[in-house]
Amino acid sequence: MEEQPIIIKRKKKVVGGHHGGSWKVAFADFATAMMAFFLVLWLTATASPEQKRAVEGYFRDPVGFTEGGSPNPVDLEGSASVVKETSTDMDPDQIQIEDQVVDELAETLEQRRMEELFQELKERIEQNETLQEFKDQLLIDITDEGLRIQIVDRSGRPMFDSGRAQLKYYSQDILFELAKTLGSVSNKLSITGHTDATPFGGRPGYTNWELSADRANTARRALVAGGVRQEQIARVVGLSDSVLFDKEDPTAPVNRRISIIVLNKKTVDDIQSSAGQADEPLIDLTQPTEEEQEAARERLESGEWLQEKPEPAPGELNW
């Protein structure tokens, strides 16, 4: 009988090695999820019904969501509720900018337009033969009210005849050329007449105040004839010699001038607000007293108002 070979099976025992740190990542994810879960529970418990509806609406349709009191899903009464930039979740029409910022932007844009108009006028003066000939009579600067153009008298070359409100032919040409540029802007215009300190003695009752106002109105008519729109005129003023250009020499020809100002929006608003009608006048002098009403009634009944009044003597003022 043959001997059977003896087979011995030996099991190799393997000691477990280091299994790594993957469990730490899993535990960190679990801790993060739990923290987020408790945060949601806390927000849900403290949120108002309106805020809950806002959150619900946001998650249903984040892009088209428009309802709710706040543009943010949850308003924590902090800086998150102040929106200063456009986001994909908001309609651009809903973005609000403070009034002060809007006013500052408007002033900056208007200042830029005034500077562009200033450069345009300078180029027109350099290129136009009529304006080039009389450029020494044109003074252009930017003031608080807007862009100011002053047309001044020079020795031997006045804008008007002495004591008259009729324009010289070359003065009319200057205003016609300026009107082409001024009529192309949307800003309103102010026209002011000035005289020197020499008293006017042409006729009784007619002073430098009347003369400066008449000259300002003559300049207005020339500008309108040259292309400025009627509704563009905001103010026509005669200042006599109250605002001298050359204070050292009150009778200098440069004091006799016409000022045209392209007004900025702030000045136009100030003019309209100061000249507008108040809701309740402080003192109403138009309402006649009871004595005045009684006297008027007596004159009406007596027929005194039908009597002819004597004509004023020649040279006598009647006002």
Side-chain angles (χ1 to χ4, degrees):
M1 183 176 179
E2 295 182 359
E3 295 182 357
Q4 294 289 337
I6 299 172
I7 299 173
I8 300 173
K9 292 183 179 180
R10 293 195 176 116
K11 294 183 179 180
K12 189 176 181 180
K13 188 176 182 182
V14 179
V15 180
H18 183 66
H19 48 70
S22 58
W23 69 274
K24 299 179 182 178
V25 177
F27 182 76
D29 292 340
F30 173 75
T32 303
M34 292 300 295
M35 182 176 65
F37 176 70
F38 284 114
L39 181 61
V40 171
L41 292 179
W42 174 71
L43 289 175
T44 305
T46 59
S48 64
E50 291 80 7
Q51 291 172 331
K52 292 179 181 178
R53 286 195 295 270
V55 173
E56 180 183 358
Y58 177 82
F59 281 104
R60 283 183 177 178
D61 186 7
V63 177
F65 176 68
T66 57
E67 295 182 356
S70 171
N72 304 287
V74 179
D75 189 353
L76 299 179
E77 303 297 334
S79 59
S81 62
V82 180
V83 178
K84 292 188 178 292
E85 295 182 357
T86 306
S87 66
T88 57
D89 297 334
M90 285 191 61
D91 186 352
D93 295 337
Q94 294 180 345
I95 300 174
Q96 297 181 354
I97 305 178
E98 295 181 0
D99 293 340
Q100 182 180 358
V101 177
V102 174
D103 293 340
E104 291 176 356
L105 290 174
E107 290 179 4
T108 302
L109 291 174
E110 195 160 34
Q111 181 73 11
R112 189 177 302 170
R113 284 199 297 268
M114 292 296 175
E115 293 173 356
E116 292 175 354
L117 182 59
F118 177 82
Q119 294 297 328
E120 183 180 347
L121 284 171
K122 285 180 62 178
E123 294 175 1
R124 180 176 286 273
I125 291 172
E126 294 297 330
Q127 298 172 1
N128 188 279
E129 295 181 0
T130 302
L131 298 178
Q132 181 69 23
E133 183 179 355
F134 301 101
K135 68 177 183 179
D136 61 333
Q137 292 186 243
L138 294 173
L139 306 174
I140 306 176
D141 59 350
I142 296 178
T143 68
D144 293 338
E145 291 189 337
L147 178 68
R148 179 174 61 182
I149 307 165
Q150 298 187 91
I151 311 172
V152 302
D153 281 2
R154 293 295 184 189
S155 297
R157 199 166 59 196
M159 284 191 67
F160 302 86
D161 285 325
S162 178
R164 304 294 296 274
Q166 283 74 33
L167 283 166
K168 291 282 193 179
Y169 69 92
Y170 49 81
S171 302
Q172 181 172 289
D173 292 341
I174 293 174
L175 290 171
F176 280 177
E177 293 297 330
L178 291 175
K180 296 177 182 178
T181 301
L182 299 179
S184 64
V185 301
S186 59
N187 300 67
K188 290 185 176 294
L189 304 179
S190 169
I191 305 171
T192 307
H194 302 268
T195 66
D196 59 19
T198 304
F200 179 81
R203 62 179 186 267
Y206 194 89
T207 66
N208 282 344
W209 289 100
E210 286 80 14
L211 180 61
S212 61
D214 288 344
R215 288 180 172 179
N217 256 316
T218 301
R220 175 191 62 81
R221 288 191 290 269
L223 288 173
V224 171
V228 171
R229 303 180 301 279
Q230 286 279 7
E231 63 273 12
Q232 205 174 346
I233 307 297
R235 182 175 63 189
V236 180
V237 184
L239 292 181
S240 184
D241 61 339
S242 62
V243 183
L244 294 173
F245 187 87
D246 186 357
K247 297 180 180 179
E248 301 296 328
D249 187 2
T251 60
V254 73
N255 291 316
R256 302 189 295 268
R257 65 198 189 278
I258 295 294
S259 298
I260 305 168
I261 304 179
V262 183
L263 299 173
N264 54 37
K265 185 178 183 300
K266 180 179 181 301
T267 304
V268 173
D269 292 341
D270 291 342
I271 293 174
Q272 293 178 348
S273 62
S274 62
Q277 182 179 1
D279 295 335
E280 196 72 32
L282 297 179
I283 301 176
D284 188 1
L285 300 179
T286 62
Q287 184 69 27
T289 62
E290 294 182 0
E291 292 79 5
E292 291 173 339
Q293 293 179 4
E294 184 64 27
R297 189 178 299 107
E298 292 178 357
R299 286 197 302 272
L300 182 62
E301 294 175 353
S302 64
E304 180 182 349
W305 57 279
L306 288 174
Q307 299 178 5
E308 296 184 0
K309 296 183 179 179
E311 293 291 332
E316 182 181 352
L317 297 178
N318 182 21
W319 55 41

